[in-house]
Amino acid sequence: MTQQAPLDTLASYVATALDRPLPPAVLEKTKHHVLDTIAAMVTGSRLKPGEAAISFVRSQGGVPEAAVVGSNVVTTAINAAMANGMLAHSDETDDSHAPSLTHPGCAVVPAALAVAERQDVSGEALLRAVALGYDVGSRIARLMGGIDARGWHGHATHTIGPMFGSAAAASALVGLDPQGVRYALSYTAQQASGITSWARDSEHVEKSFVFGGNGARSGVTSALFVESGMSGEEDAFQGENGFLDVFCPRREEFPQWVASLGDHYEITLTNIKKFSVGSPIQAAAEAMTSLVIEHGIGPSDIREVEALLPPQGANIVNGRHMPDVNLQYCMAVIALDGGRLTFQATHTYERMSDPAVVDLMAKVRLQGNPEFAGMERQRPATVRIHTASGVLERHVPAVHGTADNPMTTEEVDEKALDLIGGVYGEQRARDVVAAVHALDTTPASVLRPLLTE
């Protein structure tokens, strides 16, 4: 195999992706993630990051190519992709791909949706483009895994993998040939960025841009640049100072990941969240809710709560300023609310200073468990509640919604109905769910009137 062959294969695969039917199970899983991301966008349109994104693109005007969810704004595909990407990560309910530590849906789905509207394609083309975006973005993010001599965690930037996924989806939808795909990948490599300083953003606005808006915007920009006639570097991946050389400690795996395209679909390994909170909290929240409900535990019964997570996940959700990524807050709210962890509770900043919440948060002891190291994909957790009468313990080896314990179609629908219904009402939520399930037989354009005002 020549050195150039992997990129040849990748470019050809992207260029012909819309011609290949998805296996039935992959098609169904893709619908799950489109629906789950749409629910995230709808709810995100009512939160600060989403409101800021809508306000910004409204001020920009632009050729009316694609709609911004939760609004009456119709703007360029690039602007719509960016805004919808920010909406999709506004509330921590979007999906995640644990092997690459990325959130593909909040970038790939908005990018594909915006370009599908612009191109007026079928719903089937939209679904194939989404699955393609997950495949390409997650593979590239895998290559970025590891820690270099500077202590930089390659795939922890969160934006670069989904950016390439968005570019692949957009490139397929605008009909780029293999050489055009090469150019689009090159423009994407030049835009690759996103540092982890977002963790210091206390209002989730910059984080929403890094995880969703940046990748969606930049990926769509790459494809539309090339569609407009721009040329570029034909191989920005390999060689000295190429993308693999600069960004990818695991660059030697590039040929094998490209070779598996069409046989292995990364969307099948992507998690859907049961709770609208950060991924590392999911299993602990499931354990805590079940213990509180089953044993009738009230706040006054609790002397201490131990939460054991994989070490990396524990660091991410320890004492954060945002309620939806603060484990101590979530554990306290579950106890106070009778075993429930609602969307409203996880997005109410004021409640973090409620004396009753503060008192319980002080009783939550979060630890990274060395025995869970290397188990980020399963996201296990053990929770122990210490009471006057003893210790209650629950271990969740793989949180519900992960690839190891997936949600059913009915459960994904139920989550979407709850989130979308909270904004648009029950009937419209049901119409959205039905429309997504029928996408393989309808135009992609059926979604716009259901998702806008």
Side-chain angles (χ1 to χ4, degrees):
M1 180 179 290
T2 65
Q3 187 180 27
Q4 191 82 345
L7 189 58
D8 286 338
T9 302
L10 175 59
S12 296
Y13 189 86
V14 171
T16 58
L18 301 192
D19 299 329
R20 284 188 300 275
L22 296 173
V26 177
L27 176 64
E28 185 71 7
K29 190 74 160 65
T30 304
K31 290 179 181 179
H32 289 181
H33 287 270
V34 170
L35 179 59
D36 192 61
T37 307
I38 284 174
M41 287 190 277
V42 171
T43 53
S45 70
R46 300 303 192 261
L47 299 176
K48 183 168 184 175
E51 290 174 344
I54 292 170
S55 176
F56 174 77
V57 297
R58 189 189 301 278
S59 72
Q60 297 302 295
V63 179
E65 296 176 328
V68 178
V69 172
S71 77
N72 60 1
V73 176
V74 180
T75 182
T76 66
I78 292 172
N79 280 342
M82 182 191 69
N84 286 334
M86 290 186 68
L87 266 59
H89 193 68
S90 290
D91 56 13
E92 289 291 340
T93 197
D94 55 300
D95 63 21
S96 63
H97 183 266
S100 64
L101 291 183
T102 60
H103 289 236
C106 63
V108 171
V109 174
L113 186 62
V115 180
E117 279 198 72
R118 179 183 186 269
Q119 302 300 118
D120 194 21
V121 300
S122 68
E124 185 174 48
L126 170 62
L127 293 169
R128 292 178 184 180
V130 168
L132 170 70
Y134 279 66
D135 272 334
V136 173
S138 299
R139 279 168 165 80
I140 288 174
R142 283 176 181 269
L143 300 176
M144 297 174 65
I147 302 175
D148 68 13
R150 297 166 297 166
W152 180 65
H153 204 304
H155 51 196
T157 63
H158 293 286
T159 195
I160 298 177
M163 185 184 294
F164 277 100
S166 298
S171 296
L173 287 165
V174 299
L176 298 185
D177 62 15
Q179 182 168 334
V181 173
R182 285 172 172 270
Y183 293 158
L185 292 174
S186 183
Y187 278 109
T188 306
Q190 295 294 352
Q191 297 180 86
S193 185
I195 58 177
T196 54
S197 61
W198 55 260
R200 298 192 292 270
D201 167 29
S202 63
E203 294 189 307
H204 213 279
V205 177
E206 184 176 348
K207 186 172 189 285
S208 296
F209 174 73
V210 172
F211 279 62
N214 190 15
R217 178 202 63 180
S218 300
V220 171
T221 298
S222 296
L224 298 191
F225 265 24
V226 178
E227 186 209 28
S228 75
M230 293 188 185
S231 60
E233 166 61 46
E234 292 192 358
D235 187 355
F237 268 58
Q238 298 173 109
E240 186 178 2
N241 296 323
F243 178 79
L244 296 179
D245 186 38
V246 174
F247 283 96
C248 300
R250 294 166 61 178
R251 62 185 68 86
E252 72 280 355
E253 298 177 11
F254 183 48
Q256 72 188 55
W257 282 116
V258 171
S260 68
L261 286 165
D263 294 323
H264 161 69
Y265 293 84
E266 292 287 341
I267 203 165
T268 64
L269 297 181
T270 308
N271 306 329
I272 291 179
K273 292 181 178 179
K274 179 178 180 180
F275 304 101
S276 296
V277 297
S279 295
I281 298 175
Q282 297 288 317
E286 185 171 340
M288 186 73 176
T289 56
S290 62
L291 286 173
V292 169
I293 292 171
E294 290 174 16
H295 298 278
I297 298 170
S300 61
D301 300 318
I302 297 175
R303 293 186 170 180
E304 182 182 63
V305 175
E306 291 182 79
L308 304 178
L309 270 62
Q312 185 177 8
N315 288 335
I316 292 171
V317 297
N318 183 29
R320 297 289 297 281
H321 296 293
M322 294 172 279
D324 50 2
V325 287
N326 184 311
L327 180 135
Q328 291 91 339
Y329 171 81
C330 292
M331 297 290 103
V333 166
I334 289 170
L336 286 164
D337 293 354
R340 295 180 300 124
L341 186 60
T342 65
F343 179 86
Q344 181 179 6
T346 57
H347 294 86
T348 304
Y349 280 78
E350 295 78 11
R351 198 171 179 192
M352 294 188 75
S353 58
D354 182 314
V357 173
V358 172
D359 179 63
L360 272 178
M361 288 174 63
K363 297 179 180 180
V364 178
R365 183 158 56 91
L366 171 60
Q367 294 181 342
N369 186 354
E371 294 181 9
F372 294 162
M375 301 176 70
E376 294 290 343
R377 182 170 70 87
Q378 296 92 342
R379 300 201 183 279
T382 298
V383 171
R384 301 187 186 106
I385 302 178
H386 296 255
T387 70
S389 56
V391 179
L392 301 169
E393 179 176 318
R394 180 64 46 86
H395 176 67
V396 177
V399 69
H400 196 42
T402 61
D404 299 280
N405 185 13
M407 295 170 71
T408 65
T409 296
E410 292 73 22
E411 289 170 329
V412 175
D413 290 353
E414 182 180 358
K415 177 186 173 184
L417 288 169
D418 178 54
L419 293 179
I420 299 171
V423 176
Y424 281 145
E426 180 180 352
Q427 185 55 56
R428 192 164 171 187
R430 293 191 179 280
D431 291 343
V432 172
V433 171
V436 172
H437 282 305
L439 272 178
D440 50 331
T441 60
T442 61
S445 59
V446 301
L447 293 174
R448 181 193 282 191
L450 296 173
L451 302 179
T452 55
E453 296 183 344

